[in-house]
Amino acid sequence: GQAVGVPNVDRANLGLDQNISDVDRSIDNDVTGDGQVKLFSNEQEQALRDAGFDNSTEELDYLAREAGVTQDELDGMVELLETVGDNSSNSTTSSLNDNESSIYLRGFGLAEVPLSYGRALSDHFAVGGNLKLMRGRVYINEVRVFDEDSDKFMEDATDQYKETTTFGVDLGFMARYKRFKLGIMGRNLNAPEFEAPTVNGTEFDDVTVDPQARAGLSWQPFNSLTLETDIDLTENETEFKGYHTRYFSAGVEWSIFKILNLRAGMYTNLAEDDIGEVYTAGVGLNILGANLEVAGAMSRDTQEYEGDEYPKEARVTAQLGLKF
């Protein structure tokens, strides 16, 4: 499952219900800056003064620097402040109270039930595949930013969705020589597609699960121990626009009497550098043709949220398989 917020900004109704000169004096009185303009260009500084921020330009520059506003973001910030200045008065008709800015929360959840088949072509080559029943939901929920109940958007975030049932195809090849195995797998080769709902007359793009390819190499120094590494051969899209994944992973498995498998490893996303290494651990249990797998993952890097530190990435997975 994935979710992302897509902004829909109302840039017209940004006025304050007071004269901009009062806002300007309030910023000048309440903010203690350093008396310098280092971020705004001469043109941007003059544009702010013309918009009514004549006394507080230095303070706004200081606040922007403290907030880490970049040069790429500066033009948009100045344009926004100009709009606020131009639309603010005691009798404004373009008030924030009338602002219709919203966020479209877009999510995608997918469940798969695979039917798998594998066959050895010789002592050194094998082929296998999955035919998967896939049931996916595309969620769309519009949240008005300035609504009093906007903080409760998660309560009905899952109410608006469209569900699609389709199928997917995976195909894999394996070569083995002595204690080495090389595998290549293609997932979702038929590019299954899931329809998105239309919300308030706005149509959203359907979700296509693009084909992916992955290769792996394993080595068994002795029968109960396996060392392996895997890498994505494709750079894969996500629901986050412009954010891609291409995972490299490495791990070790210790098999105890072919019944209990203990695993540990790590993976990292080669396409992005925002998370870093993620460490993994898992256990597998094989009894009478039933195979139960449970695993977890946690990143080394953390992120602060409301004063507490959390891993930037964490996962828990479980899988049950039956051999017949």
Side-chain angles (χ1 to χ4, degrees):
Q2 298 177 349
V4 61
V6 181
N8 175 33
V9 182
D10 177 2
R11 296 182 177 274
N13 297 303
L14 292 171
L16 304 176
D17 293 325
Q18 54 184 307
N19 288 322
I20 196 62
S21 57
D22 296 333
V23 178
D24 179 47
R25 282 193 297 270
S26 178
I27 297 173
D28 186 35
N29 293 333
D30 295 342
V31 177
T32 302
D34 56 11
Q36 302 180 71
V37 176
K38 296 181 178 180
L39 198 58
F40 297 135
S41 66
N42 292 335
E43 292 79 8
Q44 289 171 332
E45 182 181 358
Q46 188 57 53
L48 289 173
R49 294 187 185 279
D50 293 342
F53 297 99
D54 191 53
N55 298 304
S56 60
T57 304
E58 294 173 355
E59 285 77 10
L60 290 171
D61 186 275
Y62 173 79
L63 291 173
R65 283 183 272 130
E66 287 293 298
V69 176
T70 67
Q71 288 292 335
D72 291 338
E73 298 167 335
L74 208 56
D75 285 339
M77 173 185 167
V78 171
E79 181 182 345
L80 190 68
L81 288 171
E82 284 185 278
T83 303
V84 172
D86 293 341
N87 291 339
S88 297
S89 69
N90 289 327
S91 58
T92 180
T93 58
S94 303
S95 170
L96 278 173
N97 294 328
D98 302 316
N99 194 282
E100 296 185 356
S101 292
S102 63
I103 294 176
Y104 285 107
L105 184 66
R106 177 188 174 102
F108 177 57
L110 176 64
E112 301 178 351
V113 179
L115 179 65
S116 305
Y117 177 78
R119 184 177 180 84
L121 303 178
S122 68
D123 290 341
H124 299 291
F125 297 96
V127 63
N130 296 319
L131 181 62
K132 306 181 295 187
L133 178 67
M134 306 176 74
R135 193 171 183 88
R137 286 182 177 181
V138 181
Y139 297 89
I140 301 292
N141 182 38
E142 185 179 16
V143 181
R144 298 287 181 181
V145 175
F146 294 100
D147 281 358
E148 292 182 359
D149 295 332
S150 62
D151 59 334
K152 300 178 181 179
F153 73 97
M154 285 303 296
E155 293 182 5
D156 59 356
T158 58
D159 290 346
Q160 186 80 32
Y161 65 85
K162 189 164 188 177
E163 195 167 63
T164 303
T165 300
T166 184
F167 72 95
V169 177
D170 304 337
L171 187 62
F173 299 91
M174 184 176 69
R176 55 190 172 191
Y177 179 73
K178 294 184 177 180
R179 292 188 174 273
F180 289 91
K181 293 180 181 178
L182 173 66
I184 298 178
M185 184 178 73
R187 298 184 67 240
N188 304 310
L189 298 178
N190 59 323
E193 190 171 278
F194 301 86
E195 294 184 35
T198 298
V199 179
N200 297 332
T202 301
E203 296 183 359
F204 293 85
D205 293 336
D206 296 337
V207 174
T208 300
V209 181
D210 294 323
Q212 302 175 3
R214 188 170 178 84
L217 176 66
S218 72
W219 173 50
Q220 282 187 296
F222 45 91
N223 290 340
S224 61
L225 184 67
T226 303
L227 305 174
E228 69 170 39
T229 182
D230 301 81
I231 188 170
D232 283 335
L233 303 179
T234 53
E235 193 170 89
N236 309 307
E237 294 184 354
T238 68
E239 281 294 289
F240 296 89
K241 194 164 187 173
Y243 188 91
H244 298 84
T245 63
R246 184 170 178 252
Y247 288 112
F248 166 80
S249 62
V252 57
E253 177 187 81
W254 179 32
S255 178
I256 304 174
F257 303 117
K258 297 184 179 181
I259 296 176
L260 180 64
N261 299 314
L262 303 179
R263 305 182 179 104
M266 61 76 64
Y267 66 85
T268 187
N269 184 6
L270 300 178
E272 308 286 347
D273 58 4
D274 58 324
I275 293 178
E277 294 83 15
V278 181
Y279 301 106
T280 65
V283 61
L285 187 63
N286 301 299
I287 299 178
L288 301 176
N291 172 242
L292 175 64
E293 310 278 355
V294 179
M298 182 176 296
S299 63
R300 181 187 64 182
D301 296 341
T302 60
Q303 181 74 43
E304 183 177 330
Y305 178 71
E306 294 186 350
D308 295 319
E309 293 287 336
Y310 296 92
K312 283 190 173 181
E313 180 162 311
R315 300 183 184 214
V316 176
T317 63
Q319 176 177 299
L320 177 64
L322 299 174
K323 293 181 181 180
F324 57 90

